Amino acid sequence: MLHFIYGVDRPGTGPLRVELLEKHWAYMDGYVKELTARGPTLSEDRTEATGSIHIVELPDLAAARRFAFDEPNYQAGVYDPVLLLRYEDTLGGTMWQHASGAGEGFLLIGHAPPGTRPARAAAPARGMLARGELFSHEDGGWLGTAVLVEAAVDGAPVRAADVLPGGYDEVEIHPWQMGGRR
């Protein structure tokens, strides 16, 4: 079962995050085979981390909770809140298989209107590294869609409508970069 985990950095924890970087990577090294995608979200100017996402294959919710809440950054108080959702992959493969290195990365999260169901996934957009539907672990309800995308560095902004067309109450766009030692 795939899980989408997004830890949002608490304000002012940047120095602590830097101090914990090797511990974080060492922890993630234990999950190399299970990780589909990972990396930090960034400030608009891409100079500071603002959070961290992990898409990870684990057997159940208990294992996903252990992964998320035993992680060194969480244990030290870097993340609050942590979003932990079931993730149904609609692209296939890993971010490393799809990456071209041709542009800056972005995380888009489309929030679903309450009580709706996901539309059939459109053909993958150019530069898409990961795409999946987000579901509640508690009641199985659809909560939205998460996408990691590389956008060409040509000055044009990433447009939510190009990556997540229609049907969402809100779409968050976060600068993001591939993480890890791979």
Side-chain angles (χ1 to χ4, degrees), residues 63-154:
R65 284 185 174 141
R66 282 190 302 276
F67 173 89
F69 301 121
D70 288 348
E71 192 276 334
N73 285 342
Y74 178 80
Q75 288 287 310
V78 173
Y79 305 141
D80 186 27
V82 174
L83 181 64
L84 171 57
L85 299 170
R86 188 168 54 84
Y87 179 88
E88 288 188 7
D89 185 17
T90 59
L91 183 61
T94 69
M95 71 177 191
W96 298 279
Q97 292 169 316
H98 297 292
S100 69
E104 295 181 325
F106 293 89
L107 164 66
L108 288 82
I109 303 174
H111 297 276
T116 59
R117 297 182 140 330
R120 186 174 182 159
R126 197 180 108 225
M128 201 171 282
L129 304 178
R131 184 190 189 285
E133 303 305 334
L134 303 172
F135 296 89
S136 165
H137 279 100
E138 285 72 34
D139 66 9
W142 180 56
L143 300 174
T145 306
V147 178
L148 295 173
V149 65
E150 279 180 323
V153 185
D154 60 4

Side-chain angles (χ1 to χ4, degrees), residues 2 11 32 35 44 66 78 80 93 95 99 105 107 130 151 160 169 181:
L2 284 168
V32 168
L35 285 162
E44 290 298 319
R66 282 190 302 276
V78 173
D80 186 27
M95 71 177 191
L107 164 66
D169 279 348
R181 304 185 217 238

Side-chain angles (χ1 to χ4, degrees), residues 37-77:
R38 68 186 280 196
T41 55
L42 304 168
S43 58
E44 290 298 319
D45 65 3
R46 295 181 172 269
T47 61
E48 294 180 53
T50 61
S52 193
I53 73 106
H54 297 91
I55 301 171
V56 60
E57 176 88 29
L58 295 166
D60 54 32
L61 177 56
R65 284 185 174 141
R66 282 190 302 276
F67 173 89
F69 301 121
D70 288 348
E71 192 276 334
N73 285 342
Y74 178 80
Q75 288 287 310

